[in-house]
Amino acid sequence: MELIDGKKIADDIKKEIAIEVEKMVAEGKKRPHLAAVLVGHDGGSETYVAHKVKACEQCGFTSTLIRFEDDVTEEKLLETIDELNKNTDIDGFIVQLPLPKHISEQKIIEAIDYRKDVDGFHPINVGRMSIGLPCFLSATPAGIIELLRRYNIPTKGANCVVLGRSNIVGKPVATLMMQKGYPGDATVTVCHSATKNLKEICAQADIIIAALGSPGFVTEDMVKPGAVIIDVGTTRVPDVTRKSGFRLSGDVDFENVAPKCSYITPVPGGVGPMTIVSLMKNTLLAGQHVIY
Ligand code: GUN
């Protein structure tokens, strides 16, 4: 069994990006500039955005954090998006999700200029991804694909089972895994809450991508010997032994599954760091104007 070290790969990629940025600056170009909009004080969102701002520094990007209290109106948020769309100094921006219930996430996502949508959530980017055109790929799926590439994990003709059908992970990662080329060319099955015989389907898989947000869901009996396991779960579970009062739990029963597989991602330190670095990659591309 080999552990897939997402933290190391992410650090390598950040160094590669920083070198690109210094080249751009030496040529008289401006540093890529990412803005992040954060609404409210959700613990998970605060942590993710803080990591994104730190990653910008490591890559040599400029970053701007725009904060609102959770009673901000949808109208005010749409106004801010309009300003960011028009601001030529901002290359790309994100609105951290989830948003308070009185704000339509879909309306917010569709208000973002797709050419600055470095999260890859706008329907134009999602549509372009699904037909294999250049676009901003959503960060978690792109990070998973990059891990498979950097570990030379075979995907052609592989049975790939995706657990979960969310718009930001399950659906896009299934699309990328079935696309022509490497990593891709897999035979993909997407399982969800209405799937019958889920355990049997998983037991046939060469690659399992678990993205359902259910701690320890994938157990040893669901895993074929030698399978590749990608764990996207990051559920906060209470843990009194930690200063924070919680620990992150993946969707895989790591202790019992790990000895059985060929490759596995840990939580934390697997997919998580790759998600942030994929956003950095998109911001670099936005700053270079090579996609749009
Ligand atoms: N919330 C959870 N993941 C993400 C992400 O990748 N981008 C944004 N904007 N919000 C998120």
Short mmCIF file of all heavy atoms in Angstrom, two decimals, residues 52 95-97 119 121 168, ligand 1:
data_model
loop_
_atom_site.label_atom_id
_atom_site.label_comp_id
_atom_site.label_asym_id
_atom_site.label_seq_id
_atom_site.Cartn_x
_atom_site.Cartn_y
_atom_site.Cartn_z
N LYS A 52 -6.70 29.55 1.75
CA LYS A 52 -6.61 30.07 0.39
C LYS A 52 -5.76 31.34 0.35
O LYS A 52 -4.92 31.52 -0.54
CB LYS A 52 -8.01 30.32 -0.18
CG LYS A 52 -8.77 29.02 -0.48
CD LYS A 52 -10.25 29.23 -0.82
CE LYS A 52 -10.94 27.87 -0.96
NZ LYS A 52 -12.39 27.97 -1.27
N VAL A 95 -16.71 33.13 -4.27
CA VAL A 95 -17.62 33.40 -3.15
C VAL A 95 -17.69 32.10 -2.37
O VAL A 95 -18.14 31.07 -2.89
CB VAL A 95 -19.02 33.82 -3.65
CG1 VAL A 95 -19.96 34.06 -2.47
CG2 VAL A 95 -18.93 35.06 -4.54
N GLN A 96 -17.17 32.11 -1.14
CA GLN A 96 -17.11 30.87 -0.36
C GLN A 96 -18.51 30.37 -0.04
O GLN A 96 -19.37 31.13 0.40
CB GLN A 96 -16.29 31.10 0.93
CG GLN A 96 -16.02 29.85 1.73
CD GLN A 96 -15.09 28.86 1.03
OE1 GLN A 96 -14.27 29.22 0.19
NE2 GLN A 96 -15.22 27.59 1.36
N LEU A 97 -18.75 29.10 -0.28
CA LEU A 97 -20.04 28.46 0.01
C LEU A 97 -19.88 27.62 1.27
O LEU A 97 -18.78 27.19 1.57
CB LEU A 97 -20.46 27.57 -1.17
CG LEU A 97 -20.53 28.26 -2.54
CD1 LEU A 97 -20.90 27.23 -3.61
CD2 LEU A 97 -21.49 29.42 -2.54
N ASP A 119 -13.43 29.18 -9.40
CA ASP A 119 -14.00 27.99 -8.75
C ASP A 119 -14.54 27.01 -9.79
O ASP A 119 -14.79 25.84 -9.47
CB ASP A 119 -15.17 28.39 -7.84
CG ASP A 119 -14.79 28.40 -6.38
OD1 ASP A 119 -13.88 27.65 -6.00
OD2 ASP A 119 -15.44 29.16 -5.63
N PHE A 121 -17.53 27.01 -11.08
CA PHE A 121 -18.91 26.65 -10.73
C PHE A 121 -19.94 27.20 -11.71
O PHE A 121 -21.09 26.77 -11.72
CB PHE A 121 -19.27 27.17 -9.32
CG PHE A 121 -18.55 26.49 -8.19
CD1 PHE A 121 -18.60 27.02 -6.90
CD2 PHE A 121 -17.83 25.31 -8.38
CE1 PHE A 121 -17.95 26.40 -5.84
CE2 PHE A 121 -17.17 24.69 -7.33
CZ PHE A 121 -17.24 25.24 -6.06
N ILE A 168 -20.31 19.98 -6.95
CA ILE A 168 -18.91 20.44 -6.90
C ILE A 168 -17.88 19.32 -6.84
O ILE A 168 -16.72 19.55 -7.07
CB ILE A 168 -18.65 21.54 -5.84
CG1 ILE A 168 -18.81 21.05 -4.41
CG2 ILE A 168 -19.55 22.74 -6.05
CD1 ILE A 168 -18.44 22.13 -3.39
N1 GUN B 1 -17.22 25.37 -0.13
C1 GUN B 1 -16.73 24.13 -0.08
N2 GUN B 1 -15.85 23.94 -1.10
C2 GUN B 1 -15.81 25.09 -1.80
C3 GUN B 1 -15.09 25.52 -2.94
O1 GUN B 1 -14.31 24.78 -3.56
N3 GUN B 1 -15.30 26.80 -3.34
C4 GUN B 1 -16.17 27.63 -2.71
N4 GUN B 1 -16.33 28.87 -3.19
N5 GUN B 1 -16.86 27.27 -1.63
C5 GUN B 1 -16.67 26.00 -1.19
#
